[in-house]
Amino acid sequence: MRRGARRAKPEGDGAMHMLDPLAGWMFDPLAGLPGDGMHVWAIATAAVVAAGCGLVGTLLVVRRMSLMGDAISHAVLPGIVLAVLAGGRPGGPLVLVGAVAAALVTVWLTDLFRTRGGLAEDAGIGVAFTTLFALGVVLATAAASRADLDPGCVLYGVLEWVPFDTVPIGGLEVPRAFVTATAVLAAVLVAAGLTWPLQVFTAFDPQAARAAGVPVAAVTRGLLAATALVTVAGFEAVGAILVVAMLVVPAASAELLTHRLHRMAAIAVGLGSVAAALGYLLAWRLNTNAAGMIAVVLGAEYVLCLLVAPDRGLVARLANNCWFGWRVRCEDELAACWRAEEAAGGDGPAPAPSVRGLAGDLALAWLAATGQVVRGPRGWLLSPSGRSRATTVVRSHRLWEAWLGRHAHLPLDHLHPPAEWIEHHLGADVRRRIEDEMGREASDPHGRSIPPES
Amino acid sequence: MIWLPGLPYNTLVVAAGVAAVGFAAGVVGSLGVLRKRALVGDAAAHATLAGVALAFLVTGRRDLPVLLAGGLCSAVVALGGLVLLRRWTRTREDAATAIVLGVSFGLGIALVSGITARGIPGGAGLEQFLLGHTAALTARDATLLAAVSAVAVAIVLVAVKEATLVAFDAAFAAATGWPVTLIDYVLVTLIAVMVVVGLPAAGAVLVTALVVIPPVAARQWTDRVGTMLILAGCFGVVAALAGVAVSAVVPRLATGPLIVLAAAAIFLASFLAAPGRGWWSRLRRQRAVEQAWARGRILSAAAAAAADFSRRGIVERVGGLGGGGRRLFDAAWGLLVRQSLIEPAGGPAAEGGHGGTDRWRLTTAGMEAAAERDRRMRAWSDLMESSPLDARALITIDLPDPAAVGAADAARRAAGEA
């Protein structure tokens, strides 16, 4: 009721008005969803479409055929329109056949342009799909009076109308688009289940696959036909063009999260379905087009994956860098204490090393809190645990200087900087091997003794 | 048609403006296609919609310059995002293009639908940017489009040498000190500008065709960059005018698809009929080679046979002629007779009446030709013994001058790779 009133209110222009409904939604995400299942059907349809697209898109992305997916999603249009003109119902078997035929024509044309016309592949794709799409739009416009095709829905679908066009199945009114999408998803799942090893082999090493007797051309053609099928299943829900977002974006997001292909497919299916539901709800709240919002949510998911992906995500990389910087800082402070003690010789504790800036203060505070240094009467003193760690760092440093001095023939004053870098990276094994090579009693080139392994 | 007298001044100016856009798009697009950046424009084109919608929301007016400026901003942002994705993430280039394209177009659709659903005054017209509609253009808008196009062409004219160098050999250009990255950015920005300027005519979904199809069609006709630029521009003008004209006659049809179909027709004609690279031309060249080879086989077989021979005997000797079959044999035989290399055994006088006799002999010229072929054949087989070559090279012994043919082939291959 509240929501309806807001929707009916004439809005002024200005960007802020578009975001108004979001404010209420923050507190009550499901408020106002009618109970008749209309939205549930629309969301279910979008999710099933997204699942099929995610599965097929995974293979397209790893095979670097994303743009072929883009081309096919545009180029199925004339096939669909011709099939509808020939008496097929939108979403019916004739339309599916028409779409697959159009997709194969696209691929054939692109190949033809490349082999017979000397065109680069992307130029061939660009020519083929724009031409076929233009043909489809003109046909659809010309036939608008005879066929049930609105050029607008061709572009961005009408997910909101999906629940109104139903067929009775077992006493339940099921949206026709949902039936089509489910059938296509089932077919794609079965085909993927049967040919998955072949698809994987072809995706990662087509030459080896061909040599091993895999019918590479047929496998590729099957993938493109599957692309056409999921495209036409998504045609009514999200329109021809936004299918490309559903094909590529979840798969690319999933690729950031995992290195295993089957896991990538599963994640892509999940991401796609979640985006479908979220995008629909958002669009309904904001009173705008569902397909567009689904694409926007997919984009947000991709950015999120970029940020949080384990070990390659921006956050993970940033955290790694920070952690490493912190470790270097702590080890530098410990080594400075160690050298101060060495300089003071045996007679009494040394003054604290000069503390450099806030980071140095923090590092010393941390070392003190973890018991690696203790406050002495005249400065910081190493505790046994801190001394062991500091010895390792200084030992690495001096061993490396000694090794460089012998092998790299660097002047004395050039030995310190590389050792300052490497001292945080050398492992016990490398230290031992350098020591074996240099002789056990060796000192570093500056004449200072190399402390033994602690 | 639109150039007939009696049409309003506005229509003529709009047609001229769109033609200028078509020309500039062809010129700029040529460099893009040569640099293998054909689909960069597509990502930029789909992204323009969001910028157009945002510009409308912010200013609340439907002024074409403002909307196009918004479109250009979002196109540049999208291309910048593309560069970032390629440089900083694992996502491959093709997937990155598809992501930018799909997501930015989705945002545009959501914005436009939101504006339409709220009934903001003037917002309904935004949908025209999807597929293009020149009917709403004013003379002032068209002048702006033409002016921007002229600037783009001028920039191309200034930098055509550098852009060509980068397109054909980026590594060499970088090594000799040209700022390859900068030139690339300028080129991509120009493509984005042309895509934005083409928006009112061709629409966000199809405008990329303006910068791809005319250049690709022009490429079929020539191996010279200068010629290609001019040809692509002219093809662009023809396509744009055809689209505007048909759309003026049938207002229900959007301009964009019509422009694209006209350009596609030009491409199809080029693809089939262009000399050198076209389909027919390739087919004819291949036929000529097959023919020459078949004639050579017949001559050799005839020379090896008895002084006078039967046609049937020759057919048996040359076998299937490599799948070319009976038609190839008949054509080659006919030509040999017409060239007076073979004649009926009774002499030229008997030609009319040889009827069922089927006795033939080589003329003096025919014997010389057969001897020359044998000489070349021996030369080749000697060469192949010393250095094994592809057996298909044998074909050249039947062509007028093997060296010339080889050189021509090499030149054609080089052009194809370029």
Side-chain angles (χ1 to χ4, degrees):
Chain A
M1 211 43 230
R2 182 171 51 88
R3 224 193 50 75
R6 182 181 294 150
R7 189 175 257 197
K9 189 181 73 181
E11 305 257 358
D13 43 352
M16 288 317 292
H17 291 291
M18 294 195 66
L19 295 176
D20 270 355
L22 263 191
W25 193 43
M26 293 282 179
F27 303 104
D28 192 3
L30 291 177
L33 269 184
D36 58 6
M38 206 181 75
H39 293 278
V40 176
W41 278 125
I43 290 174
T45 308
V48 170
V49 167
C53 288
L55 185 61
V56 174
T58 299
L59 287 171
L60 288 179
V61 165
V62 295
R63 293 193 63 175
R64 300 167 190 242
M65 286 164 56
S66 311
L67 292 177
M68 194 49 103
D70 179 28
I72 287 178
S73 66
H74 285 72
V76 292
L77 184 58
I80 293 174
V81 178
L82 286 178
V84 168
L85 284 180
R89 286 159 48 86
L94 191 59
V95 168
L96 292 182
V97 171
V100 172
L104 295 182
V105 165
T106 314
V107 177
W108 175 74
L109 277 180
T110 310
D111 270 0
L112 185 76
F113 293 159
R114 202 183 60 226
T115 54
R116 304 276 160 171
L119 266 62
E121 189 180 7
D122 61 339
I125 290 180
V127 173
F129 88 80
T130 50
T131 305
L132 286 172
F133 190 74
L135 191 65
V137 171
V138 169
L139 280 175
T141 316
S145 51
R146 284 178 52 202
D148 179 24
L149 269 177
D150 171 18
C153 339
V154 164
L155 293 171
Y156 42 82
V158 277
L159 195 50
E160 299 83 349
W161 295 353
V162 157
F164 297 110
D165 185 7
T166 58
V167 287
I169 291 182
L172 193 64
E173 290 291 317
V174 181
R176 214 165 28 75
F178 180 78
V179 176
T180 311
T182 312
V184 166
L185 177 63
V188 169
L189 271 177
V190 169
L194 291 179
T195 64
W196 191 252
L198 299 185
Q199 290 286 4
V200 176
F201 198 176
T202 310
F204 285 101
D205 197 339
Q207 271 93 29
R210 188 173 294 129
V214 174
V216 170
V219 167
T220 307
R221 212 154 288 149
L223 176 59
L224 295 168
T227 310
L229 274 182
V230 295
T231 301
V232 73
F235 184 75
E236 275 178 274
V238 297
I241 297 174
L242 290 169
V243 168
V244 70
M246 279 196 170
L247 278 171
V248 177
V249 186
S253 311
E255 198 184 24
L256 298 171
L257 299 181
T258 177
H259 293 280
R260 312 277 311 173
L261 194 65
H262 57 272
R263 232 174 266 162
M264 179 177 157
I267 295 175
V269 168
L271 285 177
S273 307
V274 168
L278 215 56
Y280 180 85
L281 289 174
L282 264 179
W284 186 71
R285 278 294 159 183
L286 295 172
N287 189 14
T288 181
N289 177 272
M293 279 320 282
I294 291 175
V296 171
V297 173
L298 284 169
E301 280 183 354
Y302 177 79
V303 172
L304 194 66
C305 289
L306 272 186
L307 291 178
V308 304
D311 68 66
R312 302 244 194 183
L314 293 182
V315 171
R317 270 194 270 179
L318 197 67
N320 264 340
N321 280 353
C322 288
W323 186 84
F324 179 70
W326 177 247
R327 187 166 72 90
V328 165
R329 171 62 67 184
C330 288
E331 290 183 356
D332 282 349
E333 293 302 334
L334 285 172
C337 287
W338 196 95
R339 291 195 178 96
E341 280 185 13
E342 185 192 41
D347 41 341
S354 63
V355 176
R356 293 145 297 185
L358 179 63
D361 282 337
L362 283 176
L364 271 176
W366 168 253
L367 290 172
T370 52
Q372 300 183 65
V373 295
V374 288
R375 170 72 87 184
R378 291 169 55 204
W380 294 99
L381 296 175
L382 290 167
S383 74
S385 70
R387 178 165 292 110
S388 134
R389 201 173 158 198
T391 311
T392 309
V393 175
V394 174
R395 180 174 150 78
S396 298
H397 185 102
R398 294 188 177 168
L399 277 174
W400 191 252
E401 282 187 340
W403 193 88
L404 275 185
R406 176 177 295 182
H407 290 283
H409 308 294
L410 287 173
L412 274 186
D413 55 343
H414 282 58
L415 294 174
H416 180 73
E420 195 66 16
W421 272 102
I422 205 86
E423 64 186 9
H424 308 287
H425 298 276
L426 286 187
D429 188 39
V430 179
R431 284 196 299 270
R432 194 172 40 72
R433 288 178 61 178
I434 293 178
E435 186 171 47
D436 289 347
E437 186 185 334
M438 307 300 299
R440 205 148 290 267
E441 297 306 318
S443 57
D444 77 1
H446 305 291
R448 288 187 288 256
S449 69
I450 298 174
E453 190 80 35
S454 55
Chain B
M1 283 287 181
I2 51 170
W3 52 82
L4 291 179
L7 275 160
Y9 167 75
N10 198 53
T11 313
L12 290 175
V13 176
V14 166
V18 174
V21 170
F23 185 84
V27 170
V28 172
S30 294
L31 293 178
V33 165
L34 289 177
R35 183 75 179 107
K36 308 231 183 301
R37 296 275 189 276
L39 287 184
V40 166
D42 202 23
H46 282 76
T48 50
L49 194 60
V52 167
L54 276 177
F56 173 74
L57 272 178
V58 170
T59 64
R61 287 183 308 165
R62 211 157 64 85
D63 275 353
L64 192 68
V66 175
L67 299 187
L68 291 191
L72 184 61
C73 287
S74 63
V76 169
V77 168
L79 291 175
L82 194 55
V83 171
L84 286 183
L85 285 189
R86 271 170 43 194
R87 189 164 298 175
W88 294 108
T89 72
R90 283 168 67 199
T91 304
R92 296 181 200 87
E93 179 161 5
D94 62 326
T97 310
I99 289 172
V100 168
L101 183 154
V103 173
S104 58
F105 190 65
L107 183 64
I109 292 285
L111 285 172
V112 171
S113 297
I115 291 169
T116 313
R118 281 161 181 74
I120 298 173
L126 286 181
E127 291 202 356
Q128 287 181 351
F129 284 97
L130 278 173
L131 291 175
H133 223 293
T134 45
L137 285 183
T138 65
R140 222 182 98 236
D141 298 338
T143 318
L144 171 79
L145 299 186
V148 175
S149 304
V151 171
V153 172
I155 294 177
V156 168
L157 284 186
V158 169
V160 69
K161 188 188 72 183
E162 289 76 11
T164 309
L165 178 65
V166 170
F168 282 95
D169 197 341
F172 175 74
T176 39
W178 289 103
V180 173
T181 317
L182 180 70
I183 293 174
D184 266 347
Y185 280 157
V186 170
L187 176 60
V188 169
T189 311
L190 271 184
I191 293 177
V193 168
M194 283 327 297
V195 160
V196 169
V197 174
L199 211 52
V205 185
L206 288 171
V207 69
T208 183
L210 271 184
V211 288
V212 174
I213 301 184
V216 166
R219 180 70 187 85
Q220 300 290 316
W221 296 89
T222 176
D223 288 336
R224 311 280 321 164
V225 173
T227 322
M228 181 178 164
L229 294 187
I230 295 169
L231 257 184
C234 295
F235 288 162
V237 170
V238 173
L241 284 182
V244 172
V246 175
S247 170
V249 176
V250 191
R252 219 156 34 89
L253 291 174
T255 332
L258 295 171
I259 293 179
V260 173
L261 285 185
I266 295 173
F267 169 74
L268 192 66
S270 312
F271 181 70
L272 292 178
R277 295 166 68 93
W279 176 293
W280 293 133
S281 172
R282 275 167 204 254
L283 213 61
R284 280 216 334 264
R285 266 203 310 277
Q286 195 186 336
R287 285 276 152 75
V289 172
E290 276 175 7
Q291 265 266 331
W293 174 69
R295 286 201 305 277
R297 291 283 307 273
I298 293 172
L299 278 178
S300 291
D308 67 337
F309 46 86
S310 69
R311 185 177 154 136
R312 183 166 315 167
I314 299 294
V315 170
E316 277 162 18
R317 268 170 187 273
V318 297
L321 277 180
R326 197 57 194 249
R327 267 208 348 243
L328 183 56
F329 181 89
D330 288 345
W333 185 275
L335 194 59
L336 286 174
V337 173
R338 276 201 301 285
Q339 288 174 335
S340 307
L341 299 175
I342 297 177
E343 61 182 13
E351 193 172 343
H354 61 87
T357 57
D358 192 19
R359 299 312 298 176
W360 301 80
R361 68 180 185 217
L362 285 170
T363 62
T364 323
M367 284 178 200
E368 275 168 18
E372 169 66 12
R373 183 173 194 270
D374 279 352
R375 193 188 63 73
R376 287 185 183 178
M377 178 79 99
R378 271 198 306 280
W380 263 115
S381 47
D382 287 352
L383 188 60
M384 282 170 69
E385 262 170 31
S386 58
S387 62
L389 288 169
D390 190 337
R392 275 173 300 176
L394 264 177
I395 273 184
T396 56
I397 64 173
D398 293 314
L399 295 178
D401 180 358
V405 170
D409 259 346
R412 200 158 46 79
R413 256 200 312 282
E417 276 161 17

